[in-house]
Amino acid sequence: MAANGAPEVESGIESPGDLQRLLDEQAYLADEGLATAGFLALRMRRPLFLEGEAGVGKTALAKALAAVLGAPLIRLQCYEGLDAAQALYDWDFPRQLLHLRAAEAAGVADVDRLEGELYDRRFLLARPLLQALETVPSVLLVDEIDRADDEFEAFLLEVLSDFTISVPELGTVRAEVPPVVVVTSNRTREVHDALKRRCLYHWLEHPSYEREVAIIRRRLPGAAERLASQVARAAQQLRAQPAGGALLKPPGVAESLDWTEALVALGARELDPATAAVTLGAVLKYREDQERVVKNGLAALIDGG
């Protein structure tokens, strides 16, 4: 138990190996480096900053962590133009207006009282950051911070520094126990050093062939072993396209899983050129990439070269 009586969210996780095992139970196969980074983030109560290409498992780790900890996952999806109000809180204007009209109909003439009631906590709409501070325990996922503006990044740094939020009409909200925070970036732009210094940092690589096969088999047990091996080998080949032939969007593990799931849905037990041709949309999301792969020959891709 924490000093203030709140539960310790990392209870029962005494080592990176413990976390690795618990993540495995959630069908998330973390390597030693990632399990160690996650364990330290829990033990040190520091945000975990995950960077890597899309589809390598950054968001999935936050979901798996929430399941391991038995905590709700609160997700803040970042985008260009996101501001503090959209991430923190907002006032429920329609309900405030209804309350005002009801008070007027009842003959309430005390203006100060009415104003105080309008900014009561019941009219406050908590957005992800406020939700995370008020929920114990919780896992806060700040997804794709690289898509947000510099101003929001600076604001997030301030919130993560002391886990407090000021609501002028109500006062300061402070987290009894800081949420477990996972911040992800696809590195479409560089995130400022100040935010990274506040976090523990880990770069997620694409998995090795052996690990990718294991992930596919773990997540999709209905897939034949040969099919999982062929999909993993093909995905590895697609990521290793030589200079001049590189894909616009090489597939991540997420696309490997999508491709395998599509093939299983078609009843495929193995991957052949004809089946690969009609299911490329599950793994390659750009027309130019599909045309390049078909031109180079699907048989060579499936055979591993």
Side-chain angles (χ1 to χ4, degrees), residues 124-139:
L124 190 70
L125 297 174
R127 302 305 185 193
L129 292 181
L130 182 56
Q131 289 176 23
L133 266 61
E134 293 184 321
T135 306
V136 179
S138 66
V139 175

Side-chain angles (χ1 to χ4, degrees), residues 136-152:
V136 179
S138 66
V139 175
L140 171 63
L141 168 62
V142 183
D143 214 8
E144 299 183 327
I145 185 62
D146 52 318
R147 294 184 180 275
D149 301 325
D150 290 350
E151 293 78 7
F152 180 79

Side-chain angles (χ1 to χ4, degrees), residues 86-115:
Q86 294 162 316
L88 279 176
Y89 65 87
D90 202 356
W91 290 102
D92 192 342
F93 178 72
R95 286 191 64 201
Q96 287 175 315
L97 187 57
L98 285 173
H99 178 75
L100 182 61
R101 288 176 175 172
E104 290 175 343
V108 177
D110 188 337
V111 176
D112 291 337
R113 173 189 164 189
L114 272 178
E115 184 177 349

